Amino acid sequence: MAKDNKKEDLMEKVVSLCKRRGFVYPGSEIYGGMAGMYDFGPYGVELLNNIKSAWWKEHIRNRENYFGLDSAMFKDPRVWEASGHTSGFSDPLSECKKCNTRIRVDKELEKIGVRANEKMSEAELNTLFSENKINIKCPKCGAGDFTPVRAFNLLVKTNMGDFTGKGESPVYLPGEACQGIYLNFKNVIDTTRAKIPFGIAQIGKAFRNEISPRNFLFRTREMEQADTQYFVRPHENKEAYEKIKQDRLDWYIKMGIKPENLRFKQHENLVFYASDAWDIEYNFPSYGFDELEGIHDRTDYDLTQHMKYSGTDLNYTDPQTGEKYIPWILETSVGLGRMFLAFISEAYTEEKLDDETRIVLKFSRELAPIKIAVFPLLKNKPELVEKAREVYKMLKEEFRTEWDDNGNIGKRYRRQDEIGTPYCITFDFDSLEDKAVTVRERDSMAQERVKIDSLRDFFKNKFNT
Ligand code: GAP
């Protein structure tokens, strides 16, 4: 892919702003950092929570036939045998003989225009790699001498509940969050009025021993996935699949992503559980269009496997006709980190103002981490501070509001612009007389005077609460 300098620059700017303004910190930073791990700071966690609740609202609150779930991370190890992850969930790994850098062979082949199939055996991958090795150089030291390819399983093993110290019966961290939905499919039907077609939605953690975590939050070893699984009658998948794909694309646009930065891409290489798979791709900074969300037609693969391995009947019985069948499943799955990166990149804006550049995160009002900031004009005037704090306290009960009295008003505006706060309120000397404050809107920078008495309704209207 041709490098786009402007976009590469944008990635650097986004990463730097995330650190500078308390959105994202490198994991275990004081120990030198840990590859593929990030911590979300005070504004990052607000943004993350807002993304989650917007997603939840879309799939649970706005729909009648979707049900929520939060399943335990640790599961019986047989779950991962049944799902196919202990045998089929691997990436092809090779190591540079000179500097021991590990490479993901399929990704290195892709860079030189050669495609490795997901279903290739280790031997087939070795043949393909040997044929093309001459054109592949170690990304770290530039040497071209590599170890044979081995299929490296991505599941993360733990010793949870194993007191032998021998590590003989590992319990795995979830390789994908959705397995908990299949395990509870019967429970949900038995305890709700769910009738096919219906969906189950869940946000849960997943862990993968990624060979080369990269691109900030794009490929990490610990992630959170927002999943929906929609259960349909066998062979009634096509129409529902198209609708689900379109609904997901429309949601991103509704949440503020420009349509030209989104596209669909069908998978040529299908992962072991899917009969059809499409990605929604986003035009990420620095590396361009890549997978944001996966939408998979999993047919009856998962429930059939779990029925076989657990011995539990997972057939659905139609309450009207008495017909029994294993439902087919349509899945949507997106990493919270990738959504976070997409939303923050999309929001990042630089504007020239006279001789300075204003950096502003133009988040939708729903996603903005802080909704309102309240400033006293001067922090050393107790009469202003006292009354301004009353305004702050009144608003913070209903809206995520921040108190800011540091530096001059201009500096406070810049700081709030950089974290994407839609409204700033200044309480000045006139406020003591006219019982009104100045409200400044982030994007237009327009200011208006609003009576303190009507502030709550003013913002209720703005934030649709
Ligand atoms: N349950 C299906 C599943 O896990 P996937 O395509 O492997 O499918 C779904 O993952 C989504 O999870 C991806 O589209 C991406 O948004 C996110 N994801 C996958 N691996 C990731 C990683 N290493 N780091 C961050 N996000 C990841």
Side-chain angles (χ1 to χ4, degrees):
M1 184 173 303
K3 279 196 174 173
D4 177 340
N5 287 340
K6 238 170 109 191
K7 292 216 91 202
E8 199 156 315
D9 209 26
L10 174 61
M11 182 65 150
E12 270 173 36
K13 287 174 177 173
V14 166
V15 174
S16 144
L17 182 135
C18 279
K19 175 78 201 295
R20 186 172 75 247
R21 288 295 182 212
F23 281 92
V24 182
Y25 308 127
S28 308
E29 192 181 13
I30 60 168
Y31 287 92
M34 194 180 177
M37 293 293 163
Y38 291 93
D39 298 332
F40 291 92
Y43 299 116
V45 69
E46 296 286 349
L47 176 58
L48 202 61
N49 285 341
N50 292 346
I51 297 172
K52 285 187 208 177
S53 61
W55 185 91
W56 195 258
K57 183 174 163 201
E58 171 75 7
H59 293 96
I60 298 289
R61 275 174 53 196
N62 290 354
R63 295 179 186 184
E64 282 184 31
N65 61 342
Y66 271 72
F67 299 84
L69 187 77
D70 188 354
S71 60
M73 269 204 284
F74 289 107
K75 295 174 176 70
D76 188 305
R78 286 172 296 175
V79 168
W80 303 106
E81 277 168 45
S83 69
H85 283 76
T86 48
S87 53
F89 189 49
S90 56
D91 280 337
L93 166 75
S94 172
E95 230 175 278
C96 168
K97 284 191 181 163
K98 193 168 166 214
C99 72
N100 300 111
T101 293
R102 293 182 196 97
I103 59 163
R104 219 181 112 174
V105 171
D106 55 335
K107 293 287 170 199
E108 293 304 319
L109 285 168
E110 213 175 280
K111 284 185 197 162
I112 57 162
V114 178
R115 277 199 166 271
N117 192 306
E118 289 262 2
K119 296 194 173 96
M120 274 181 167
S121 67
E122 217 169 61
E124 287 167 323
L125 278 162
N126 263 305
T127 308
L128 189 68
F129 189 47
S130 301
E131 286 165 4
N132 293 283
K133 227 165 28 182
I134 186 92
N135 297 317
I136 297 178
K137 299 279 167 263
C138 169
K140 189 158 178 213
C141 73
D145 199 7
F146 296 97
T147 60
V149 183
R150 79 188 155 96
F152 178 75
N153 192 283
L154 302 182
L155 282 180
V156 178
K157 288 178 187 170
T158 77
N159 66 351
M160 219 278 296
D162 175 7
F163 302 102
T164 65
K166 293 181 188 153
E168 279 162 355
S169 43
V171 177
Y172 300 95
L173 286 173
E176 56 173 1
C178 61
Q179 289 297 325
I181 297 184
Y182 311 137
L183 304 188
N184 286 290
F185 156 74
K186 266 237 137 164
N187 280 335
V188 172
I189 290 182
D190 292 345
T191 53
T192 66
R193 291 169 314 286
K195 286 194 193 67
I196 284 195
F198 74 94
I200 300 179
Q202 174 179 248
I203 297 176
K205 288 250 178 179
F207 299 81
R208 295 180 186 178
N209 251 334
E210 294 286 354
I211 295 167
S212 48
R214 66 186 168 96
N215 291 334
F216 194 37
L217 300 174
F218 182 82
R219 192 173 299 290
T220 50
R221 289 187 173 137
E222 173 177 343
M223 74 190 102
E224 217 167 1
Q225 290 179 317
D227 291 334
T228 65
Q229 310 288 321
Y230 193 62
F231 300 85
V232 298
R233 275 173 64 97
H235 307 286
E236 292 188 358
N237 50 335
K238 294 281 178 242
E239 207 178 307
Y241 191 54
E242 288 313 312
K243 179 163 179 354
I244 286 171
K245 276 167 55 191
Q246 195 58 47
D247 284 351
R248 290 301 302 137
L249 189 86
D250 292 346
W251 182 77
Y252 287 111
I253 296 167
K254 189 171 86 183
M255 297 309 295
I257 297 203
K258 290 184 218 65
E260 62 268 30
N261 282 335
L262 293 164
R263 70 181 187 196
F264 282 120
K265 186 175 170 211
Q266 188 171 24
H267 278 228
E268 287 168 28
N269 283 330
L270 289 172
V271 68
F272 59 92
Y273 52 70
S275 75
D276 194 5
W278 289 73
D279 289 340
I280 293 180
E281 293 193 329
Y282 175 69
N283 190 9
F284 284 98
S286 134
Y287 47 95
F289 278 99
D290 210 331
E291 176 180 349
L292 170 62
E293 168 159 350
I295 303 174
H296 310 127
D297 187 341
R298 298 179 75 127
T299 64
D300 61 356
Y301 174 81
D302 303 277
L303 292 181
T304 304
Q305 287 294 100
H306 286 305
M307 185 153 133
K308 198 162 113 196
Y309 277 73
S310 68
T312 306
D313 183 4
L314 295 178
N315 274 291
Y316 172 79
T317 308
D318 188 301
Q320 248 100 52
T321 63
E323 183 193 3
K324 276 182 142 209
Y325 57 83
I326 295 282
W328 286 17
I329 294 175
L330 304 170
E331 167 183 71
T332 70
S333 181
V334 55
L336 261 302
R338 287 195 195 179
M339 279 203 273
F340 187 108
L341 183 55
F343 283 124
I344 207 162
S345 311
E346 190 76 12
Y348 186 96
T349 314
E350 286 182 2
E351 288 173 357
K352 281 261 165 258
L353 299 180
D354 301 324
D355 52 359
E356 68 164 323
T357 302
R358 175 171 97 113
I359 296 171
V360 48
L361 291 183
K362 293 191 173 178
F363 289 125
S364 67
R365 290 183 184 141
E366 192 171 2
L367 292 187
I370 302 294
K371 309 296 182 200
I372 306 165
V374 179
F375 316 151
L377 181 66
L378 297 170
K379 76 171 180 185
N380 57 357
K381 294 285 172 202
E383 64 275 34
L384 291 186
V385 172
E386 188 193 331
K387 291 287 171 197
R389 281 198 75 81
E390 280 175 20
V391 171
Y392 162 68
K393 280 186 188 148
M394 172 184 79
L395 292 174
K396 90 192 252 291
E397 280 171 20
E398 252 169 284
F399 309 96
R400 186 69 183 83
T401 305
E402 190 167 274
W403 172 258
D404 196 348
D405 61 4
N406 217 353
N408 61 36
I409 295 286
K411 280 211 177 109
R412 295 179 211 167
Y413 280 151
R414 294 297 160 269
R415 187 161 51 238
Q416 296 300 331
D417 285 345
E418 283 202 3
I419 61 169
T421 307
Y423 295 98
C424 293
I425 292 177
T426 305
F427 192 102
D428 55 23
F429 289 104
D430 288 343
S431 307
L432 296 170
E433 301 303 320
D434 65 1
K435 309 277 182 275
V437 286
T438 301
V439 177
R440 179 254 203 189
E441 199 272 332
R442 179 193 67 200
D443 298 348
S444 62
M445 293 187 286
Q447 302 191 357
E448 63 184 300
R449 217 56 199 163
V450 180
K451 287 279 182 206
I452 293 170
D453 275 359
S454 51
L455 269 180
R456 272 163 70 175
D457 286 342
F458 176 86
F459 287 120
K460 272 187 178 174
N461 205 7
K462 297 288 184 197
F463 290 108
N464 273 336
T465 56

